[in-house]
Amino acid sequence: MSPVEAKDVRIAELEAQLAQRDERIVQLMALVGALTQRVAELEQRLAQNSSNSSRPPSSDAPGKERRGKKPTGRRPGGQPGHKKHERRLVPPEAVQHFVELIPQQCKSCRQRLVGRDTEPQRHQVVEVPPLSAIITEYRSHALECSACGTVTRQPVPGHARGAFGDRLGALASLLVGKYRLSKRLVKDALSDMLGVELCVGSVVNLEEEMADALEPAVAQAAQSVQAATTVHADETGWVEGRENGRGKRAWLWMVATTLVALFHIAPSRGGKVARALLGEEFTGFLVTDRWSGYAWYDAGLRQVCWAHLTRDFQGFIDRGGRGGRLGKKLMRQRNLFFTWYHRVRDGTMTRQDFEKRMPEVEREVGRLLRRAAIHAEKKTAGMAREILQWEQCLWTFVDVSGLEPTNNFGDRCLRHAVMYRKTSFGTQSPQGSRFVERILTAVTTLKLQRRGVLNFLTDTLHAHRRGLQMPSLLPVADTPQLASAA
């Protein structure tokens, strides 16, 4: 090979090496870009907390500072002049024992005292008597007929064929549904407090019986919600049964009015479940988050939750950049109209004045969201576009007096159920789900109405076992109307 040919071969080899290096550099730059984007996504995920996302406060990292209230300069606790809160004394007719404490002599001069105080100072001590179960034994006698020789045994009444009475069955369900005890802890609690020995299977059987007993009252509660003028709706994850060694995904739905809350466990988070709960003829105002499962409903009758929007705006701010600056402006508008809203609620601003001021805020929020959708960073822009899809649902509360701008009421109704899920890990069967949704409906509804749960569950089980008219979960004023409609 001549020197010229050798030189050409060398140049070709070098060019090939350079091409390989260039290709490798391009590959590495693409990898660096992908890793940089991934790091940014992970950093954003780490920066998420309960103030800028849908994560619950329990998921926040230990030691995270929470935005507290602005300091007022006052000392903690009750302020001078505040209304005193003390335990109320029960009326004298409800007192079982009286102890008259009458002074015998003057504490100053020791002179003997006579007479009685017409208005003595009252102090009451509440005690619980020793707890024990009342055991009733049914003795079923059999007698032989002297005429035909037939032996006839008097049967045990149908309502007494179970091993546990009405109140004990209600108490077992109450300990599960309200106080969130496991079935084994219910067994232990009844043994420790009442000396009643029962097995875990008996607790399950009592739950199933209570679920059947509550069915009519829950159906009536569902009818009440569907006829309401305003309903709050929310849903949370659930687990029902197991599949391939793992819990099967399900959803716990909740729809609530001010006095009635209805729960339902379903395998789907789709809109069909919400339609079924609210009913095809529902025409009231619906307060929800922005979940697409409610998109089927008339936007003019829907209010999306501003508590969720507040967290989204805080997310704009925390991510920074152009979106962060727009987020601060959005948060200022949010704080402004919430100040007005609270003044209307407190009576320091008229509703008419509030409605006159709000159009300017509505226009400014819309303008800022559109700017964010175009000019903000990718994630912030996407969130702004999503919010704009529901723009018509942002301001329904302005036109409807009494409608809340947040779904905080729905969140409060659902909170007990969420805590139940965290300690129970869901349900094992559809039968267990029916008990949970019905006991949660009863417990939450009775709490909203400030009615006693144990007495209601006892009366319900009593009526169920004897075929009597079932107690209602509806407020007293609504009961006759809906009962006749049923």
Side-chain angles (χ1 to χ4, degrees):
M1 181 184 298
S2 66
V4 175
E5 291 175 341
K7 182 178 180 181
D8 291 340
V9 171
R10 182 59 178 163
I11 291 174
E13 292 176 350
L14 292 174
E15 289 177 347
Q17 292 177 6
L18 287 173
Q20 291 177 355
R21 290 176 184 177
D22 290 342
E23 183 180 356
R24 183 59 175 163
I25 289 172
V26 170
Q27 293 174 351
L28 291 174
M29 290 299 294
L31 180 60
V32 169
L35 291 175
T36 302
Q37 182 178 357
R38 179 59 175 163
V39 169
E41 291 174 355
L42 292 174
E43 287 178 342
Q44 288 183 359
R45 189 178 301 178
L46 285 173
Q48 287 183 347
N49 53 60
S50 58
S51 69
N52 60 20
S53 70
S54 59
R55 293 190 176 192
S58 58
S59 68
D60 289 343
K64 177 190 176 297
E65 294 185 5
R66 302 188 184 276
R67 292 182 174 84
K69 296 181 179 179
K70 294 181 180 179
T72 61
R74 296 180 296 183
R75 296 177 61 186
Q79 303 301 312
H82 83 287
K83 185 178 180 180
K84 198 173 184 180
H85 295 280
E86 294 181 331
R87 185 176 61 83
R88 294 182 180 179
L89 297 176
V90 301
E93 56 268 21
V95 177
Q96 287 76 29
H97 304 287
F98 294 91
V99 178
E100 303 291 349
L101 303 175
I102 303 174
Q104 300 298 314
Q105 60 183 11
C106 175
K107 66 179 180 180
S108 177
C109 66
R110 305 295 180 182
Q111 175 70 28
R112 180 178 176 79
L113 299 176
V114 295
R116 297 286 292 265
D117 187 353
T118 58
E119 295 185 1
Q121 181 178 339
R122 301 168 65 202
H123 172 72
Q124 296 178 347
V125 177
V126 182
E127 178 60 289
V128 177
L131 300 178
S132 62
I134 299 174
I135 300 176
T136 301
E137 179 176 296
Y138 289 83
R139 297 186 172 186
S140 180
H141 292 263
L143 298 178
E144 181 179 350
C145 177
S146 59
C148 67
T150 300
V151 177
T152 301
R153 182 178 299 279
Q154 185 66 23
V156 175
H159 67 268
R161 289 175 184 170
F164 307 104
D166 303 334
R167 185 169 294 274
L168 182 58
L171 181 59
S173 296
L174 180 68
L175 292 174
V176 175
K178 183 174 182 178
Y179 299 104
R180 302 193 292 267
L181 297 186
S182 68
K183 295 171 179 57
R184 193 168 300 281
L185 283 178
V186 170
K187 166 184 170 296
D188 294 342
L190 294 177
S191 175
D192 294 340
M193 293 188 295
L194 301 175
V196 175
E197 298 298 331
L198 72 170
C199 63
V200 174
S202 296
V203 178
V204 175
N205 293 337
L206 289 171
E207 288 182 0
E208 292 179 356
E209 187 180 15
M210 181 58 72
D212 292 339
L214 286 171
E215 184 177 5
V218 171
Q220 203 175 46
Q223 189 180 21
S224 172
V225 171
Q226 293 174 1
T229 56
T230 300
V231 172
H232 293 252
D234 205 352
E235 72 289 329
T236 186
W238 194 261
V239 175
E240 182 184 270
R242 301 190 71 81
E243 186 176 54
N244 299 325
R246 300 181 60 183
K248 293 172 60 178
R249 187 65 160 165
W251 296 92
L252 175 64
W253 291 76
M254 185 279 310
V255 288
T257 67
T258 55
L259 293 176
V260 178
L262 178 69
F263 291 82
H264 178 66
I265 297 174
S268 169
R269 200 186 180 191
K272 290 183 179 180
V273 182
R275 280 178 178 267
L277 286 174
L278 294 169
E280 293 293 340
E281 298 181 0
F282 177 70
T283 57
F285 294 100
L286 182 62
V287 185
T288 69
D289 55 20
R290 299 195 303 275
W291 174 240
S292 59
Y294 307 103
W296 57 272
Y297 196 62
D298 186 348
L301 297 174
R302 187 176 166 200
Q303 173 65 52
V304 299
C305 178
W306 268 91
H308 289 73
L309 291 168
T310 301
R311 293 197 293 265
D312 293 335
F313 293 165
Q314 186 61 49
F316 289 10
I317 296 170
D318 293 344
R319 285 190 289 272
R322 295 178 181 176
R325 292 190 291 273
L326 292 169
K328 290 180 180 179
K329 294 180 180 179
L330 285 165
M331 191 67 82
R332 280 196 291 269
Q333 294 297 317
R334 177 265 179 209
N335 294 339
L336 180 64
F337 82 74
F338 260 98
T339 300
W340 297 341
Y341 176 80
H342 292 150
R343 288 184 58 190
V344 172
R345 188 181 61 186
D346 298 339
T348 58
M349 176 184 286
T350 65
R351 179 78 192 182
Q352 185 178 11
D353 192 14
F354 173 73
E355 292 176 359
K356 286 182 179 179
R357 296 186 183 191
M358 282 302 297
E360 183 177 350
V361 173
E362 295 175 26
R363 287 191 295 270
E364 181 64 10
V365 169
R367 185 184 69 84
L368 291 171
L369 285 172
R370 287 176 176 80
R371 285 189 59 189
I374 297 173
H375 300 293
E377 292 72 19
K378 182 179 179 180
K379 185 168 183 177
T380 299
M383 183 65 71
R385 286 192 292 270
E386 180 193 337
I387 296 173
L388 284 170
Q389 292 177 3
W390 310 107
E391 187 174 13
Q392 187 179 354
C393 308
L394 299 183
W395 311 107
T396 309
F397 78 97
V398 179
D399 302 321
V400 181
S401 179
L403 189 65
E404 296 183 17
T406 71
N407 197 26
N408 290 347
F409 173 77
D411 289 340
R412 289 193 298 270
C413 289
L414 195 61
R415 191 169 300 146
H416 173 73
V418 173
M419 298 300 295
Y420 183 98
R421 180 197 65 206
K422 291 188 176 187
T423 55
S424 67
F425 304 104
T427 47
Q428 296 298 319
S429 65
Q431 292 81 3
S433 294
R434 298 296 80 76
F435 167 74
V436 168
E437 62 191 25
R438 291 171 186 174
I439 196 69
L440 290 178
T441 295
V443 167
T444 308
T445 296
L446 294 169
K447 180 179 180 181
L448 291 174
Q449 299 177 20
R450 298 184 179 181
R451 293 166 60 187
V453 184
L454 181 57
N455 286 340
F456 176 85
L457 295 179
T458 302
D459 293 343
T460 298
L461 201 55
H462 178 89
H464 174 71
R465 288 173 169 178
R466 293 162 178 81
L468 304 176
Q469 182 177 358
M470 304 299 293
S472 174
L473 281 172
L474 304 186
V476 176
D478 296 342
T479 302
Q481 179 182 359
L482 285 175
S484 61

